[in-house]
Structures are given as structure tokens and as C-alpha cells.
Amino acid sequence: MVATQETIDKVKEVASSYKYGFVTELEAEKAPLGLSEDIVKFISKKKKEPQWLLDWRLKAYKKWLAMDEPNWAMVNFPKIDFQDIYYYSAPKAKPKLNSLDEVDPELLKTYEKLGIPIKEQEVLAGVAVDYVFDSVSVATTFREKLADKGIIFCPISEAVQNHPDLVKKYIGSVIPISDNYYAALNSAVFTDGSFVYVPKGVKCPMELSTYFRINEQNSGQFERTLIIVEDNAYVSYLEGCTAPQRDENQLHAAVVELVAMDDSEIKYSTVQNWYPGDKDGKGGIYNFVTKRGNCLGKRSKVSWTQVETGSAITWKYPSCVLRGDESVGEFYSVAVANNAQQADTGTKMIHIGKNTKSTIISKGISAGKAQNTYRGQVQIQKNAKGSRNFTQCDSLLIGDQCGAHTVPYINQHTPSARVEHEATTSKISEDQLFYCLQRGLNTEQATSLIVNGFCKEVMKELPMEFAVEAQKLIGISLEGSVG
Amino acid sequence: MSLLEIKNAHLKLDDKNILNGVSLSVNKGEVHAIMGPNGSGKSTLSYMLAGRDGYELEEGEILLDGISLSEMEADERARSGLFLAFQYPVELPGVGGMSFLREAVNSRRKFLGEEELDHLAFVKEARKEASKMYVKDEMLKRAVNVGFSGGEKKRFEILQMAMLKPKVSILDETDSGLDVDALKIVSDGVNAQRNNDNAIVVITHYQRLLDHIVPDFVHILSDGVIIKSGGPELALEVEKNGYSGLINAA
Ligand SMILES: Nc1ncnc2c1ncn2[C@@H]1O[C@H](COP(=O)(O)OP(=O)(O)O)[C@@H](O)[C@H]1O
Ligand SMILES: [Mg+2]
């Protein structure tokens, strides 16, 4: 069953306005600046969490204290002062402006190009608006429909209260608290995120998106998502937003864990468009994310699709652990870096079970002075007989001041496995541009068309409406990079 | 007033004189053929007209419908109604033929102050024109010119011309690489677009195309200048005596 477009629009309208805040009964409380054991306790208490979760957070905090920031990625940024961050604050209302006239005209231009309605523009830009939510019932209906099928879709904080056994069993099971520096930090201080559970044999009838995740406060900079899909079940999850989002929090360190049982499938799509900062990258978001899918079950499948256009720095490697025999992992990625943006992104495919299969299609686009690195690991362990990986890694350079780097790590411990790696680097040719111009397209249209052509294999993996928006977005992020 | 006017066009590439004073007047409703041996500057002339980067005039002037093109970028010239069918159409990997056509047509429509066609209306129109060029739906779904045969590329060029309805079309060696059947399809396609408001400049090395697209005037280009102009009979002379006879006589 597919929701009608009208319903989707309506829900988006209602839910997205909600998502961006202006819920009235906010607690105006804030934890003191910095991070300590007390802060972790404070967060846990605020969320009325059970003791086990507090213990888990504290353990993560201790691990984090003993860890060092990773320095292997090809990104440069000033050292982050982790004591200069607020780790808990009631969802903040964004700085209030009185009207759109006070908003950065550049931002408005972008909204216009994306076709975002005025009302939504106001909300996104943080203009003081006083909307009345006359109906959240559409969204509630969706939730009920999901509940009918036994699907749980709610904020993870709510799941901690209502489904503690599931959360306890799976949280940290895919990404252990000590996995890496940012994951440990997230485990200690995560504020909220999504929880999805799809029971045996259930195919989730609609794409779950954060748009639908109502009754939830801004999940902040340390978001935590957990998705569990039982035998023979299926879910498609959409994350993100194409509108450029400003956030006062510079550091974002999310964790996403996926668990797929026998014959199940999880499709996880992301469009990330955090504020990249100005032309020199000032004020942009640092996006340090850990995402991993555990293909526990036989013939299970986890598929990551991402379009990354935002952030000053992106550090992100959605990965698959292919434990179940014949399980399948996929990674489709478009990473755009313009101006001073730095992207170090890629994936890890860990083949453990027999006859496991993985596909990696990575498209990196660099423009301006940007640096774009693909970093991918394919590991075929001893027992992963008959396993296969195919990696295709293409880079497109626009201009001659940017860089593209491909760093593949291949560890193969089984002779019967097959690993293929193809990599290309190309430029938009003058012939191509002239051909498009001669047909009346301007330079920007032409670039966007050629770039979108370059990304096509990835874009076609995105759900339809998302793909259209993502396509526009890529065009916009590259504006001014040619000619 | 001529629809296309080239006055004393001089152009250098890499400090080499390629066009050495080309002049040509093309009126509404006319078809002109420019013939010349390889390397005589035919493609250079077409790039210069279309406004390719690096093909700026050293001296001279070009006017489209009375408006000077010199200050216009390639895309502006195209939207104003100048079309170039490429000798070597360029591959655009991943760019679907239908979307490409739509972008092009809408750019032109916008320029003309017409409304953009809605999706369905556009597809209908495109399919109609495509079938005339024996371009199948399947081909429009493929990436522009990627893996197209020589004939398919040229048919797709003429399909674009049909969709864009330009004032002046320049067809650069549209006959090259075509077998007899494809030549017929392409020529029929071009002829169907001849009318009293537009003009076509056919660039060719061989006379055979001109059996199908019969020109009103024929010009012989050699070393970047037009050395002789005449009627269709001039093409037959080339066919009979080759270029050398004409060039020597000039
Ligand atoms: N980019 C260039 N730089 C220098 N010379 C060029 C360039 N392109 C073409 N030429 C030269 O210009 C002349 C005309 O070429 P062209 O216009 O392609 O001829 P035609 O289309 O008539 O065969 C040739 O001598 C060719 O070698
Ligand atoms: Mg030529």
C-alpha cells in the first residue's frame, strides 16, 4: 500500500512544521556547560531512564575519556573543545527574527529554488511564527496504521519507556560503545532519535521518515537511531531534509544501528544538507556519524543510500556486517563537496558468512577548493567462502583547485571470494558543456545535468520524491562552481 | 534583412589563421550549402557562429535576425534561435534523452516568453517528433549519445532541431557516417522543417547529401574563405571535378 500524494503532503505539512519546533510547553532547562559524569546522570534523569541505561551511558563515558580523537581521516579542523558544548538543553527555539526580511537573502534564494513554501521558509529560517496545529490527526492515523501491523515507530526515548526489553537487547549491539571516539561520546550523551521495530513477516507499508515522527522534540546533535527488522520483514527509512538547515550546534555525532534477521531487508536513505558554512567553511557543521547495519540473519539485506551535500566536514562510513550466510550489503553514495567543504566518506563491508555479497557505488563530486575522499574497506573473513564484492568509485572534478582521493582497503582471507574494484576520475569536459549550452541550457543547468547524470546510478536507488529533491539540491550546491 | 549575416569573419586558433574573411547572407526560407575540403574551416565556422569558447572573432561581425551575436554567450545564441547539429555529437553519460530534450525546449520556450510545457504534453510532442525520425522511445530513455550508432546520433540531432524550431540551423556534416537509408531519414527530417520563416545552412564535404536536401545556394570554402558561390549546379561541378579544379581556378 502506498499513501496518496495528498496525504503525504498533508502529513509533511503538519509534521514538518512540528518538527521544527515551537511546541509550547518546553522545559527551559539546560545542563551546565561541558561534560562530566554528573552531566550524563543529569541527561538520564531528565529522560527518566532506567538504571541499566544510565549504567550503560556511564560506561560509555568512561571509555570515551580514555579514547583519542581519530586523526586518520583526510579532514582538517581546529580542535574541538568538548567542554565548551551544552550536552543537554530543552529543545531550543531558534533565534527569533520578526520576518523573512531579516533573513540572509542567500538562504532565501536557496529556499525559493527548492520550492519551499513561504510558511515553511519562515519556520526553517527561524522567523517567529505562531502556527496553530489544527490537526495532527493525519500523522496519528499513520501511527495507528503502523501499530495495527505491530510496527513500532517512535522516538527512542519513548521506546526506552515502552519497549525496554527491545532497546536493552539491541542498543550497542551493532556499534559497541567503544567502537570509536564519536560513537562512545554519542552513547554517553545521546538525546533522542528514532526507534523502529518491524515484527516477523511484516512489510512496512510506507516509507518511514522523520517527517512522520511526531510528538517528538528536536533530537539535537547527538542523535541515536535503532532499527530492528525481524524474519521476512521489510522497512524503508528516510532520513534528512533537503532544505539547508542551520543549527547552533557545530558538532553532530549521530549513531545509527540496524539489525536485520533472516530474509529481511532494511533500506536506509539519507539526504544530508547541513549548513556547509560560508565560502571559507566558517560556521559550518561538523558531521561525524557512525552508521552500521548488522545482517544477522541468513539472506538478510541492508542497503544504504546517501546523498551528502552539506556540512563543513563530513566523516561518515555507513557499513554492513554480513554475518548471515548469503546476506547482502549495499552502499550507494553521492558526496558533493564545494568551496571549503571536506568530505571523508565511504563504507565498510565485512563479509563473515558464506556467499555474502556486497556492492559499493560511490560518486564523489568536488568543486571549488573542496577535498573529497572515498575511504572504503572490504574485508572477506576466513569463513566467507564464495563471497563477492563489487566496488565502483567514480570522482568528478569541477575546476582545478579541488581534490578527489580514493582510499580502498581490501583484506581478503578466502581464495574462493571475488573482490572487484573499479575507480575513475573525470572532469566535466568542455565538449559536454558546449553541447549543452548550444541547446540553450545555461552553464549552471548544464553542470547540474551532467553531474546528475554522473550520479544517476545512486539517485535511482532513492525513493522517487526524495530523488527529485536531491537532484535539485545537488544542482544548487554546485552553483557558481563552473564558468 | 537577412536572417543570418556573416560579415568579413576572421578567426585564429593557436595563432593560426583559420577563417580569413568569410561573408555570407542567408535570407528567410533559404537553404545554403557550404562545401569544402577537409580542414578548410567548415567546423570552425560553425563553432564560431555558435559561440564556442575560444572561437571569438578577430575581426568581422555576425548578425542573427539583425541582432549582433558577438557579445552573446553560446547558450544565449541558442535560445535566440541558432541551432548547430554537431559533426560529432557529444556523449552525456547518465543524462536521459527525454530529460535533455525537455530542458532544452523549456529553455527556448522561456526565452520566447512561452509557458513551459507540462510533462505529459511534452512527452507527447517529443514522441511524435521522434517517431518521424525513427527514434524509438527506448532510445530517448538512454543517455544522450552514449552508445548510439553514427546514424542514431545524427537522427537525434535532427530530432532536437525539430523540437527547438530554430530560426537558423547549421548542420555540420550531418551526412557523415550515414548509410543510404539513414541519409534518407535524416534528409526527410530536415526537409520537413524547411519553411518561409527559417533558414538552414548545410555543411558538407560531399555532394550526395544535396541530392536529398536541395539547396538554393552553394558556397565553396577553401582555406577559410568562400572562393565561389552559385546554385545547386556548383555542387555537381565539385562532384565531377573535385575541389582542386575550383580552388585552382579561384
Ligand atoms: N583548436 C585548434 N587549434 C589549432 N588549429 C585548429 C584547431 N581546431 C582546428 N584547427 C585547424 O583548423 C583548420 C580547420 O579545421 P575545421 O574547421 O575542423 O575544418 P573542416 O571542418 O572544414 O574539416 C584545420 O587546419 C585544423 O587543423
Ligand atoms: Mg568539420
Side-chain angles (χ1 to χ4, degrees), chain A residues 305 307 332 334 452 455-464 466-472 474:
Chain A
T305 306
V307 174
Y332 298 98
V334 171
N452 278 302
C455 304
K456 191 164 192 179
E457 286 157 281
V458 174
M459 299 305 246
K460 72 180 189 338
E461 295 297 324
L462 283 177
M464 190 58 188
F466 230 36
V468 174
E469 288 180 46
Q471 206 162 332
K472 272 198 231 165
I474 291 174

Short mmCIF file of all heavy atoms in Angstrom, two decimals, chain A residues 305 307 332 334 452 455-464 466-472 474:
data_model
loop_
_atom_site.label_atom_id
_atom_site.label_comp_id
_atom_site.label_asym_id
_atom_site.label_seq_id
_atom_site.Cartn_x
_atom_site.Cartn_y
_atom_site.Cartn_z
N THR A 305 21.69 4.24 1.14
CA THR A 305 21.80 5.19 0.03
C THR A 305 21.95 6.57 0.63
O THR A 305 21.17 6.94 1.51
CB THR A 305 20.53 5.16 -0.85
OG1 THR A 305 20.30 3.81 -1.26
CG2 THR A 305 20.71 6.03 -2.08
N VAL A 307 22.90 10.84 -0.03
CA VAL A 307 23.29 12.00 -0.82
C VAL A 307 23.76 13.04 0.17
O VAL A 307 22.98 13.53 0.99
CB VAL A 307 22.11 12.53 -1.66
CG1 VAL A 307 22.50 13.82 -2.36
CG2 VAL A 307 21.68 11.49 -2.67
N TYR A 332 25.25 2.97 -1.69
CA TYR A 332 25.17 3.87 -2.83
C TYR A 332 25.36 5.28 -2.30
O TYR A 332 24.60 5.71 -1.44
CB TYR A 332 23.81 3.78 -3.51
CG TYR A 332 23.50 2.41 -4.06
CD1 TYR A 332 22.71 1.51 -3.34
CD2 TYR A 332 24.00 2.01 -5.30
CE1 TYR A 332 22.43 0.25 -3.84
CE2 TYR A 332 23.72 0.75 -5.81
CZ TYR A 332 22.94 -0.12 -5.08
OH TYR A 332 22.67 -1.36 -5.57
N VAL A 334 26.39 9.52 -3.01
CA VAL A 334 26.83 10.71 -3.73
C VAL A 334 27.33 11.68 -2.68
O VAL A 334 26.61 11.99 -1.74
CB VAL A 334 25.67 11.37 -4.50
CG1 VAL A 334 26.11 12.73 -5.04
CG2 VAL A 334 25.20 10.48 -5.63
N ASN A 452 24.20 15.32 -12.40
CA ASN A 452 23.15 14.37 -12.06
C ASN A 452 23.23 13.11 -12.91
O ASN A 452 22.88 12.03 -12.44
CB ASN A 452 21.77 15.02 -12.16
CG ASN A 452 21.44 15.81 -10.90
OD1 ASN A 452 21.42 15.26 -9.81
ND2 ASN A 452 21.23 17.10 -11.04
N CYS A 455 25.64 10.92 -11.31
CA CYS A 455 25.16 10.30 -10.07
C CYS A 455 24.00 9.34 -10.27
O CYS A 455 23.47 8.80 -9.31
CB CYS A 455 24.62 11.37 -9.13
SG CYS A 455 25.74 12.65 -8.75
N LYS A 456 23.59 9.17 -11.50
CA LYS A 456 22.33 8.50 -11.75
C LYS A 456 22.17 7.14 -11.07
O LYS A 456 21.13 6.84 -10.49
CB LYS A 456 22.15 8.34 -13.24
CG LYS A 456 20.76 7.89 -13.60
CD LYS A 456 20.53 8.12 -15.04
CE LYS A 456 19.07 7.98 -15.38
NZ LYS A 456 18.89 8.24 -16.79
N GLU A 457 23.23 6.35 -11.12
CA GLU A 457 23.12 5.01 -10.54
C GLU A 457 22.77 5.06 -9.06
O GLU A 457 22.17 4.13 -8.54
CB GLU A 457 24.47 4.28 -10.66
CG GLU A 457 24.80 3.81 -12.05
CD GLU A 457 26.30 3.62 -12.19
OE1 GLU A 457 26.99 4.65 -12.37
OE2 GLU A 457 26.77 2.48 -12.11
N VAL A 458 23.17 6.12 -8.41
CA VAL A 458 22.84 6.24 -6.99
C VAL A 458 21.45 6.83 -6.82
O VAL A 458 20.64 6.34 -6.04
CB VAL A 458 23.89 7.12 -6.27
CG1 VAL A 458 23.47 7.37 -4.83
CG2 VAL A 458 25.25 6.45 -6.33
N MET A 459 21.16 7.86 -7.62
CA MET A 459 19.87 8.54 -7.48
C MET A 459 18.70 7.59 -7.69
O MET A 459 17.66 7.73 -7.07
CB MET A 459 19.77 9.69 -8.48
CG MET A 459 20.81 10.75 -8.30
SD MET A 459 20.83 11.39 -6.65
CE MET A 459 20.32 13.04 -6.96
N LYS A 460 18.89 6.62 -8.58
CA LYS A 460 17.76 5.74 -8.86
C LYS A 460 17.47 4.80 -7.69
O LYS A 460 16.43 4.17 -7.65
CB LYS A 460 17.94 4.99 -10.18
CG LYS A 460 18.97 3.90 -10.20
CD LYS A 460 18.97 3.29 -11.61
CE LYS A 460 19.75 2.04 -11.85
NZ LYS A 460 20.81 1.61 -11.06
N GLU A 461 18.37 4.75 -6.72
CA GLU A 461 18.12 3.96 -5.52
C GLU A 461 17.28 4.72 -4.50
O GLU A 461 16.76 4.14 -3.56
CB GLU A 461 19.45 3.56 -4.87
CG GLU A 461 20.32 2.63 -5.70
CD GLU A 461 19.66 1.28 -5.96
OE1 GLU A 461 18.98 0.78 -5.06
OE2 GLU A 461 19.82 0.76 -7.08
N LEU A 462 17.18 6.01 -4.68
CA LEU A 462 16.41 6.81 -3.73
C LEU A 462 14.93 6.71 -4.04
O LEU A 462 14.54 6.62 -5.20
CB LEU A 462 16.79 8.30 -3.82
CG LEU A 462 18.09 8.77 -3.19
CD1 LEU A 462 18.27 10.26 -3.50
CD2 LEU A 462 18.09 8.55 -1.69
N PRO A 463 14.09 6.75 -3.00
CA PRO A 463 12.65 6.83 -3.26
C PRO A 463 12.36 8.05 -4.13
O PRO A 463 12.99 9.09 -3.97
CB PRO A 463 12.05 6.99 -1.87
CG PRO A 463 13.07 6.43 -0.94
CD PRO A 463 14.40 6.68 -1.58
N MET A 464 11.40 7.89 -5.00
CA MET A 464 11.08 8.88 -6.04
C MET A 464 11.10 10.35 -5.60
O MET A 464 11.84 11.16 -6.14
CB MET A 464 9.73 8.51 -6.65
CG MET A 464 9.39 9.30 -7.87
SD MET A 464 10.68 9.07 -9.15
CE MET A 464 10.13 10.29 -10.32
N PHE A 466 12.12 11.81 -3.01
CA PHE A 466 13.40 12.16 -2.43
C PHE A 466 14.42 12.43 -3.54
O PHE A 466 15.22 13.35 -3.45
CB PHE A 466 13.87 10.99 -1.58
CG PHE A 466 14.31 11.36 -0.19
CD1 PHE A 466 13.65 12.36 0.50
CD2 PHE A 466 15.35 10.70 0.43
CE1 PHE A 466 14.05 12.69 1.79
CE2 PHE A 466 15.74 11.02 1.71
CZ PHE A 466 15.10 12.01 2.40
N ALA A 467 14.37 11.61 -4.57
CA ALA A 467 15.32 11.71 -5.67
C ALA A 467 15.18 13.05 -6.38
O ALA A 467 16.18 13.70 -6.72
CB ALA A 467 15.12 10.57 -6.65
N VAL A 468 13.94 13.47 -6.59
CA VAL A 468 13.71 14.73 -7.29
C VAL A 468 14.30 15.89 -6.50
O VAL A 468 15.01 16.75 -7.02
CB VAL A 468 12.20 14.95 -7.53
CG1 VAL A 468 11.95 16.32 -8.13
CG2 VAL A 468 11.65 13.85 -8.43
N GLU A 469 14.03 15.87 -5.19
CA GLU A 469 14.57 16.93 -4.34
C GLU A 469 16.09 16.89 -4.30
O GLU A 469 16.75 17.91 -4.37
CB GLU A 469 14.03 16.78 -2.92
CG GLU A 469 12.57 17.14 -2.79
CD GLU A 469 12.09 16.99 -1.35
OE1 GLU A 469 12.79 17.44 -0.44
OE2 GLU A 469 11.01 16.39 -1.16
N ALA A 470 16.61 15.68 -4.19
CA ALA A 470 18.06 15.52 -4.08
C ALA A 470 18.75 16.05 -5.34
O ALA A 470 19.81 16.68 -5.28
CB ALA A 470 18.41 14.07 -3.86
N GLN A 471 18.11 15.82 -6.46
CA GLN A 471 18.66 16.27 -7.73
C GLN A 471 18.77 17.79 -7.78
O GLN A 471 19.80 18.34 -8.15
CB GLN A 471 17.73 15.79 -8.84
CG GLN A 471 18.42 15.62 -10.15
CD GLN A 471 17.58 14.74 -11.06
OE1 GLN A 471 16.83 13.90 -10.61
NE2 GLN A 471 17.69 14.95 -12.35
N LYS A 472 17.70 18.45 -7.35
CA LYS A 472 17.71 19.91 -7.30
C LYS A 472 18.82 20.37 -6.37
O LYS A 472 19.55 21.32 -6.65
CB LYS A 472 16.38 20.42 -6.74
CG LYS A 472 15.31 20.61 -7.77
CD LYS A 472 14.24 21.51 -7.16
CE LYS A 472 12.86 20.89 -7.33
NZ LYS A 472 11.82 21.50 -6.50
N ILE A 474 21.61 18.98 -5.47
CA ILE A 474 22.97 18.85 -5.99
C ILE A 474 23.28 20.02 -6.91
O ILE A 474 24.35 20.61 -6.84
CB ILE A 474 23.15 17.50 -6.70
CG1 ILE A 474 23.11 16.38 -5.67
CG2 ILE A 474 24.46 17.46 -7.48
CD1 ILE A 474 23.12 15.00 -6.25
#
